[in-house]
Amino acid sequence: MKGIVFTTFNDMVEQEIGIETWDAILDSVNPESKGVYTAVEDFPDEELFAMISDLSEKTGTPIVELVTAFGQYLFHTFAIKHGVFVDDKSNFLDFLKSIDEVIHKEVEKLYPNPNLPSLHWEQHDENSLELYYSSPRKLCHLADGLIKGAAQKYKTKYTMEHSPCMHDGSDHCCFSIKQYD
Amino acid sequence: MMVAIIAVLVSSNMTEESAYKRAYERQKVAREKAEQLLETRSRELYESNTVLSKYNKELITQKAIAESAVKAKSEFLATMSHELRTPMNGVVGMVDLLSVTELDVDQQKMLEVVNASAQSLLAIINDILDFSKIDAGMLNIEIVDMGLREVLDEAVQIIEANALLKGVKLLSYVDPGIVYYQQGDPTRVRQILINLGGNAIKFSEPGKEVLIRADKVVSDAGYSRIRFSVIDHGIGISKAAQSGLFDEFTQADTSTTRQFGGTGLGLAISKKMTQLMGGEIGVISETGKGSTFWFELPLADSNKGLEKDKADDLSGLHVLVASSSESYREVCQSYLRHENAEVEVTMGIDECLQFFKNAEDTFGSESIIVIPDLDDYAKVTSLRKNFIDAGLMPYPRFVVGNNRQHKDQDHILEGIEEVTMMDTSPMRRSALINAVAIAAGRASPEIHHDDDDLMERVQAPTAEEALNQGKLILLAEDNLTNQLVIHKQLNALGYQCEIANNGKEGFDMWKAKPYCMLLSDCHMPIWDGFQLTDAIRKDEKSTGKRAPIVAITANALHGEAERCLAAGMDDYMAKPVAMKVLKQTLVKWMGKGSTLGQTEVDSSLEVAVQVEAPSQANGDDDEDSTCPIDERMLKDMFGDDEDTFKEILQSFIGPSEAIIADLMAAHGVLSATEIKAHAHKLKSSSRSIGSNRMADICAALEAAGGQSNWGLIDEELPKLEPEYQKVKSYIDSL
């Protein structure tokens, strides 16, 4: 997984909870990388998963909730670091549609073999969008959080159904998004 | 007090902690900046890679285009080489044959012009092909054992005719110190020598000499640097003109192009070939005094030594070389000294008597006078008389250069025992040494025979006779004209052949009869020459025999010869095949032709006169002539033998009927392409038997087929069958 996910997770824990908790997580998880993360390297998925479940234990927050919250946080980090992709799109749904075609393409330019999730969309009317997500990592809840973050950024209200879900045995997840004013 | 200290410590601890925090924040920002920088660089790298790979793709595409252009160019060259040489084969071959028929003086002169034109056209074609080959990087230099004596001899042999014609004396000299074969490309060295030698003759006045020599200039550890020089005493070249002389399309003076002819490619080709062989080329010249064109090549010595004739040793002999020419004196002296003779020189025949009177004691016995370039043989008889008067006979003996320009004087010296004639057109080492050895009684005159008179007409055996003698040749060749030319050439040389029209047919015939050798075209339908050779070679594995197979190829490109040899053929001849080459090749692989009736006048020549076609008197110039065959044209091409004449015409019938049937079938299925192809075939065979009206119809059909012009096809095609019937009934009536 890309290092930026790890450094953002680090930032989130430090900012939202405190540097001591981050330290404590590293002590209990004891990752192979020793917690020395940079945005430009790759790190094993397991380290992130272990840290999230440790954080869940320490805070008593369910993992799904944590992951979704992290997704939201992650979006804001992206929006700050790579604002151009957000600025390029004028609305929420257009932005969602550009993820696979524009953002993932740019990521691929920078990092060979970035193991990106597959993300396709179908649009039946101008206010709704179906996003199909699939990845061996099954991080659909992270995606959920990212979508939330995006909606905040575009100041858009929306409802979303998440069905089917890979966690229920499907080979993909479907997010049915409806935006309203 | 204590409390104060603790407070300070706590406050300093606090300061330290916040300092660490700030430091941590700074580090983090630094890391993020570094990360961003890295990402920016990565993106730039990606973009420049994208650009590069786009250029790379373009380059690959351009390279492929360039490569296919080169390939197309080489294929074009191969085709051109073939296409240009095939018709030249017909021209040169027929001129060769025609020249030995009975011709009146005017006809002979006309034929000489035709021959000279054909030869110069061929030379130009060769020049252009060579130049294009070099240009396309397709000229390969081979490295084989190369005997310099042979190379010079062959070069001289080729330009000798021109020298004779022009009255220029031609000498060749190979440094006798060169005792080994060299490793190099004899074909290319010879070609350059022919080129330079040809020029030298062209720019020399009658009576002048041209000397072609090869000298070893440096010899070091298995390598020799050989300098080849062609020296003339012609018009010379000004310093200004010398500079651009080796550039393509350049001659010393543009007006020379008109005066002396040539493409202006010869020296450029020579220069490029020399460079390909790692050598240098140059000229030393002065206007009015002549030129020395030279090239030097670094050549590895082969471990093969030159054959040394025992009779070559001339030790103990006293030889006086008498010539007013420095070249002749030098060449003779060098060759003779190398064979251990005691050699002295005088400036001419007139000084000989005085020389002997002065040197009587040392030069009296066993002495030989070599007079290589004598114009007036009567001087020998008077010198001999003077020697007799002076009491110096029976010695010395005379070796006199027998220049073919003075054949009319031969009778003067005939029967004089002390005189040995030596062939000096051109002057060769072997002829000199041999003549001196004969004069000294050390060699027998019988050992040298003149094999040059290749054009002696001999009677060819019938196929049956040839078969019984084990001398029947199989000729595999699909082109009718070439079949006839080679067949006639073989007959003229006393050989007989049977003809297969393609490789497959050739193999079937080969299996059916014990042919002694195969002459095969390379490109034929069904099976080509290579497949035929392969089949024969495979078949021979069971019998253990190996018959000679010689390729006749119109494709003069270098690779073709190698391909022939690689395919299991033994030798190859390039079209057009000159009679001389054909004879040499045949003698090499199967010995001399039939000697039957060698003394008879060739009966076919007489027949030729009788084959005045019956309708000739009706005036075949008349356009309305009912005769479907242009007999005069036919006779010009093949008409010196009635049987051949009939045979050729009859051989036209079967294939033509088949082609006409094909044409009709093609018309039935509306295939213009096939109509074009069949019409083309029939056109050329019709033309070659003199059926011009059929050929014209076919030409029209071919053109119409090419344009899918069905209106014209429908107009022309119905004319074909009736015209063919006229031709057929004419042939049947013969």
Side-chain angles (χ1 to χ4, degrees), chain B residues 267-285:
Chain B
L267 290 177
I269 291 169
S270 300
K271 182 182 181 182
K272 291 194 172 187
M273 281 181 180
T274 311
Q275 285 171 340
L276 279 175
M277 292 187 282
E280 291 172 81
I281 193 164
V283 62
I284 304 160
S285 182

Side-chain angles (χ1 to χ4, degrees), chain B residues 244-261:
Chain B
L245 205 55
F246 291 94
D247 299 341
E248 48 263 40
F249 311 112
T250 306
Q251 290 187 331
D253 161 1
T254 42
S255 69
T256 51
T257 313
R258 279 184 289 279
Q259 192 184 347
F260 296 101

Side-chain angles (χ1 to χ4, degrees), chain B residues 578-692:
Chain B
M579 291 276 268
K580 209 166 181 176
V581 174
L582 184 62
K583 176 162 182 179
Q584 281 165 353
T585 308
L586 291 170
V587 168
K588 178 172 167 191
W589 293 107
M590 55 178 290
K592 290 204 168 200
S594 171
T595 51
L596 280 178
Q598 197 156 11
T599 51
E600 293 169 19
V601 179
D602 188 312
S603 57
S604 65
L605 293 179
E606 289 169 6
V607 174
V609 183
Q610 295 158 12
V611 185
E612 292 296 335
S615 61
Q616 185 96 21
N618 297 340
D620 53 11
D621 285 334
D622 185 352
E623 279 185 356
D624 294 332
S625 162
T626 50
C627 181
I629 302 264
D630 179 350
E631 289 162 338
R632 191 190 302 167
M633 178 277 227
L634 190 57
K635 200 170 82 64
D636 280 351
M637 280 185 80
F638 318 113
D640 61 351
D641 180 76
E642 190 178 13
D643 290 337
T644 315
F645 187 87
K646 277 188 188 166
E647 197 187 318
I648 291 162
L649 289 176
Q650 275 154 5
S651 73
F652 175 73
I653 293 178
S656 302
E657 263 168 22
I659 296 173
I660 291 171
D662 286 342
L663 269 169
M664 295 303 175
H667 186 252
V669 298
L670 292 177
S671 169
T673 335
E674 278 185 43
I675 288 182
K676 182 181 172 222
H678 295 312
H680 174 81
K681 259 190 273 175
L682 190 57
K683 180 187 75 178
S684 69
S685 54
S686 304
R687 195 79 75 196
S688 66
I689 63 145
S691 168
N692 287 335

Side-chain angles (χ1 to χ4, degrees), chain B residues 108-130:
Chain B
Q108 263 172 13
K109 276 188 181 156
M110 287 189 273
L111 194 64
E112 276 164 23
V113 174
V114 174
N115 192 29
S117 310
Q119 293 298 345
S120 67
L121 181 56
L122 200 55
I124 292 167
I125 290 171
N126 286 339
D127 267 8
I128 295 170
L129 283 172
D130 271 340

Side-chain angles (χ1 to χ4, degrees), chain B residues 153-196:
Chain B
D153 272 358
E154 285 159 0
V156 161
Q157 202 175 3
I158 286 168
I159 54 176
E160 171 197 344
N162 282 347
L164 263 176
L165 216 61
K166 185 129 189 223
V168 171
K169 293 172 184 167
L170 194 56
L171 294 86
S172 78
Y173 171 77
V174 178
D175 185 347
I178 300 172
V179 290
Y180 287 99
Y181 279 80
Q182 249 67 44
Q183 297 213 304
D185 190 333
T187 315
R188 300 305 164 198
V189 173
R190 189 170 58 224
Q191 198 175 345
I192 300 172
L193 288 172
I194 290 168
N195 219 321
L196 301 180

